[in-house]
Amino acid sequence: MQNYFSQSYYYMDNYNLPFLKGIGIGHGDAHYFWENKDRKDHQVVLQYTLAGVGYFESGDQRSIQRRGSFFLAEIPSDCRYYGKEDWQFLYLEFSKEVLQLFYPINQTHHSSSPEFQELLIKLCAELKACSEVPFFENTQLAYSLILALKKELLTKRVEKYPLAKEIKKYLEQHYQSDVGLMDVEEQFGVSRYKAIRLFEKAYSISPMAYLKKYRIKRALPFLTDGQRTVHQIAQLVGMANGNYFAKVFKAEMGISPSDYQKSKQRFNEES
């Protein structure tokens, strides 16, 4: 794809909502270089490599950008990107409001999914045909891209830690029993400390904290149908007794199991 173009969007008011500031398909050779700590504009760039070779540096870390690679870069910040061999890329410029949605912001990934690439190319083609985009249409596009990017980043992160994915599956299969870190150690032949570290890297939560959340999720239908006591539901989802279940439930949901159950029953009666 060599139909290079560049398009920018400006609005009188953005209502503190994220939006696309610009989009385009570009090309960089050995003379193409962006030093981002010196730039004055405040935005986040997503740049996706279509062909050729480029580099992205954040701090003292350098990553080669080849077909299917992409990076996120905050501008301004201590990062830079530059071309090497006929670097062809697609780029999206987001407003600074997206900063709070991604951490760390300066990051790079390789071998993106075909679905993600197809989405970016399709969006570029659609926007290339539009000279102007109304603000709320723009921000809808921005949110859809943010969700697709979030999904892509989570998928890439989990792929780096296949053991964490297996531990998650094991916990979900055994949530009704008294499963703990000792069982994880025996099942997978790793120390509990390594299991916790890998799981947190993949899912940003510890295995046991995830198990608590999963048990609460599985308990909700039982609370809604109103056919069982809180103690019975606690045992069905692998918790020792109703008191402990109620404590965990309130910490997670902000309401007691009995009050949640009453609110659902009242809603059903009024419907």
Side-chain angles (χ1 to χ4, degrees), residues 1 5 23 25 50 90 92 114-130 141 145:
M1 178 184 290
F5 80 100
I23 187 169
I25 295 173
L50 298 167
L90 176 158
L92 300 164
E115 295 80 10
F116 188 61
Q117 176 181 335
E118 183 180 345
L119 173 67
L120 295 179
I121 292 175
K122 181 181 178 182
L123 179 66
C124 259
E126 291 175 354
L127 289 178
K128 185 180 180 182
C130 302
L141 290 172
L145 280 166

Side-chain angles (χ1 to χ4, degrees), residues 5-205:
F5 80 100
S6 178
Q7 208 150 270
S8 298
Y9 306 101
Y10 173 76
Y11 303 97
M12 298 294 288
D13 195 342
N14 71 345
Y15 309 98
N16 295 317
L17 294 171
F19 67 98
L20 288 172
K21 294 183 70 176
I23 187 169
I25 295 173
H27 169 264
D29 54 19
H31 301 291
Y32 175 86
F33 187 95
W34 284 101
E35 175 57 76
N36 293 317
K37 67 181 179 182
D38 298 329
R39 294 173 67 175
K40 303 302 181 183
D41 42 340
H42 200 178
Q43 61 190 17
V44 173
V45 171
L46 167 64
Q47 190 149 306
Y48 183 95
T49 298
L50 298 167
V53 178
Y55 290 103
F56 174 71
E57 291 183 0
S58 179
D60 57 358
Q61 301 294 314
R62 186 175 76 165
S63 174
I64 298 176
Q65 301 294 297
R66 293 190 174 94
R67 179 178 174 83
S69 301
F70 67 92
F71 65 79
L72 274 177
E74 179 183 2
I75 297 172
S77 71
D78 183 19
C79 69
R80 62 211 57 83
Y81 47 92
Y82 47 93
K84 184 182 180 185
E85 299 173 9
D86 192 28
W87 193 19
Q88 300 170 39
F89 49 82
L90 176 158
Y91 68 89
L92 300 164
E93 297 168 341
F94 292 93
S95 64
K96 59 183 174 56
E97 283 76 17
V98 306
L99 283 170
Q100 60 184 324
L101 301 174
F102 297 99
Y103 181 83
I105 194 65
N106 292 333
Q107 52 182 296
T108 183
H109 299 273
H110 303 287
S111 304
S112 61
S113 67
E115 295 80 10
F116 188 61
Q117 176 181 335
E118 183 180 345
L119 173 67
L120 295 179
I121 292 175
K122 181 181 178 182
L123 179 66
C124 259
E126 291 175 354
L127 289 178
K128 185 180 180 182
C130 302
S131 58
E132 294 186 9
V133 179
F135 174 74
F136 287 107
E137 184 178 327
N138 181 311
T139 203
Q140 280 185 316
L141 290 172
Y143 273 117
S144 66
L145 280 166
I146 289 166
L147 291 174
L149 181 56
K150 282 279 192 181
K151 181 181 178 181
E152 185 75 10
L153 293 177
L154 177 59
T155 301
K156 303 305 292 183
R157 190 171 70 192
V158 172
E159 285 176 354
K160 292 181 182 179
Y161 307 103
L163 182 58
K165 188 175 181 180
E166 290 301 310
I167 292 172
K168 177 174 174 284
K169 181 179 178 181
Y170 175 79
L171 294 175
E172 291 176 354
Q173 289 174 338
H174 296 85
Y175 77 95
Q176 291 179 299
S177 61
D178 185 21
V179 63
L181 289 173
M182 185 178 295
D183 302 289
V184 172
E185 284 183 326
E186 294 176 358
Q187 178 70 20
F188 297 99
V190 296
S191 72
R192 66 184 64 192
Y193 307 106
K194 183 175 181 179
I196 292 171
R197 186 168 66 254
L198 291 177
F199 202 92
E200 287 180 340
K201 285 182 177 180
Y203 298 106
S204 301
I205 190 174

Side-chain angles (χ1 to χ4, degrees), residues 233-250:
I233 294 171
Q235 293 184 317
L236 280 172
V237 298
M239 293 190 179
N241 57 67
N243 289 335
Y244 178 64
F245 171 74
K247 181 180 178 181
V248 173
F249 189 95
K250 188 167 185 178

Side-chain angles (χ1 to χ4, degrees), residues 216 220 223 230 242-243 245-264:
I216 295 301
L220 293 179
L223 287 166
V230 169
N243 289 335
F245 171 74
K247 181 180 178 181
V248 173
F249 189 95
K250 188 167 185 178
E252 178 65 27
M253 303 293 291
I255 187 175
S256 71
S258 57
D259 286 342
Y260 178 88
Q261 196 171 46
K262 289 174 185 175
S263 69
K264 292 298 178 182

